[in-house]
Amino acid sequence: VFYEDAKHIVGSTDAAISRIADMRARAKAPLRVGYLYDATSGVVVSLLSWLKENAPDIRPEFTCLEYGYLMRALMERDIDLALTMDIDSEARAVYDSFELYRDCYYLGVSLDSPLASRASVSIDEIRALDNLIFPDKNVVLASYTQFRSIIGDESDLNIVSYYRDLRTLLLQIKYGDGVALVAGHHNLCRDSEMRLIPISDSEICFPVSAMWYKNVAPAYQELFKRMRDVFAMKGGKPAKAIRDSMNTM
């Protein structure tokens, strides 16, 4: 009995939120876009230009957030669209999305590290290092899960510290306070301040995607469909709009 009542309550809530979102869209309310800085800041510039030309009635509002806060904002419907790493398989049941480009994990080291001259490094070599920095699972759970799937449980590793935010991690790597797995997009949009070493025996890649709730307002569904035609990967390659906005790709 509770299950049947709960289905009705949840269904009514989703329908109400969808109607509100549709009213917002028709009333020319802002399109709220959340994005990861290094991963998609170039995309934001290109997207803003495209919206001005192709959807002048839409007024976009962009907010830069860390991954965990970004996904929470999307889940709580504080944003309409997220430009983010697509590393949570469970999210695909809730959100529609299209891939902007594919990224991979590397071993991030300082420029003066003995490892900086290496062309590649193996998983076993990473496991044997004595200065690994690992994600704090209580703060960056998605990265923690990724790290564990790539290099194993932290109890088998020589970990010097745990990081709680990406900015601090990148500073630690830059100044030689440790090494860590780092997504390649951190070298796409900034001057190189560290060396990213390919992992030789295991290419760990993931999509960077545009994501939104499946039951988003019809007006936004149509907009995102048009956006997909311009920005989605085609034939395994990033669309020209993405390549132009991230010129090192």
Side-chain angles (χ1 to χ4, degrees):
V1 170
F2 178 79
Y3 173 69
E4 293 301 324
D5 285 347
K7 283 201 305 182
H8 174 73
I9 292 168
V10 172
S12 298
T13 301
D14 285 346
I17 291 173
S18 180
R19 286 194 296 272
I20 292 168
D22 194 42
M23 290 176 63
R24 286 184 64 251
R26 294 178 186 279
K28 302 178 182 178
L31 173 68
R32 302 164 302 172
V33 182
Y35 69 99
L36 287 177
Y37 182 76
D38 285 352
T40 58
S41 59
V43 179
V44 165
V45 175
S46 186
L47 177 59
L48 180 58
S49 176
W50 181 83
L51 286 170
K52 285 182 177 179
E53 183 174 346
N54 295 276
D57 290 340
I58 297 291
R59 180 167 58 87
E61 292 181 351
F62 293 97
T63 304
C64 180
L65 296 166
E66 294 280 0
Y67 174 82
Y69 295 109
L70 180 56
M71 297 307 293
R72 181 183 299 174
L74 184 62
M75 179 182 68
E76 296 177 354
R77 304 188 190 238
D78 291 330
I79 58 175
D80 305 302
L81 180 69
L83 308 178
T84 184
M85 298 187 301
D86 186 357
I87 59 176
D88 184 353
S89 58
E90 294 182 2
R92 295 176 193 130
V94 181
Y95 305 119
D96 281 328
S97 66
F98 61 84
E99 292 187 23
L100 300 165
Y101 65 93
R102 294 192 69 80
D103 199 356
C104 297
Y105 278 102
Y106 300 80
L107 181 67
V109 305
S110 65
L111 294 178
D112 58 0
S113 166
L115 294 169
S117 61
R118 293 282 298 273
S120 64
V121 62
S122 70
I123 292 292
D124 285 342
E125 287 176 313
I126 295 174
R127 289 193 182 110
L129 294 173
D130 61 3
N131 60 342
L132 282 172
I133 306 172
F134 219 70
D136 183 332
K137 67 179 178 181
N138 297 313
V139 181
V140 279
L141 179 60
S143 294
Y144 173 81
T145 303
Q146 289 287 96
F147 276 40
R148 285 194 61 179
S149 69
I150 296 169
I151 58 177
D153 189 282
E154 70 266 38
S155 62
D156 300 322
L157 304 171
N158 299 310
I159 296 173
V160 294
S161 65
Y162 291 82
Y163 75 86
R164 300 168 63 89
D165 69 273
L166 199 53
R167 297 285 145 222
T168 302
L169 171 65
L170 297 180
L171 285 173
Q172 286 180 274
I173 294 173
K174 176 182 176 181
Y175 291 107
D177 288 339
V179 303
L181 296 183
V182 175
H185 59 248
H186 296 299
N187 261 14
L188 286 177
C189 301
R190 59 174 57 223
D191 293 334
S192 179
E193 297 178 328
M194 60 184 171
R195 169 92 161 87
L196 297 187
I197 305 172
I199 300 173
S200 60
D201 51 355
S202 181
E203 187 180 65
I204 305 100
C205 297
F206 57 89
V208 174
S209 301
M211 305 174 66
W212 63 92
Y213 257 105
K214 288 181 181 289
N215 65 344
V216 75
Y220 284 156
Q221 286 282 9
E222 177 59 30
L223 176 67
F224 298 155
K225 180 180 177 181
R226 293 165 57 199
M227 196 181 295
R228 183 198 303 263
D229 292 339
V230 176
F231 293 96
M233 289 184 65
K234 297 175 178 64
K237 295 179 60 177
K240 185 177 185 301
I242 300 298
R243 298 197 304 272
D244 289 347
S245 67
M246 305 175 76
N247 57 20
T248 57
M249 182 171 289

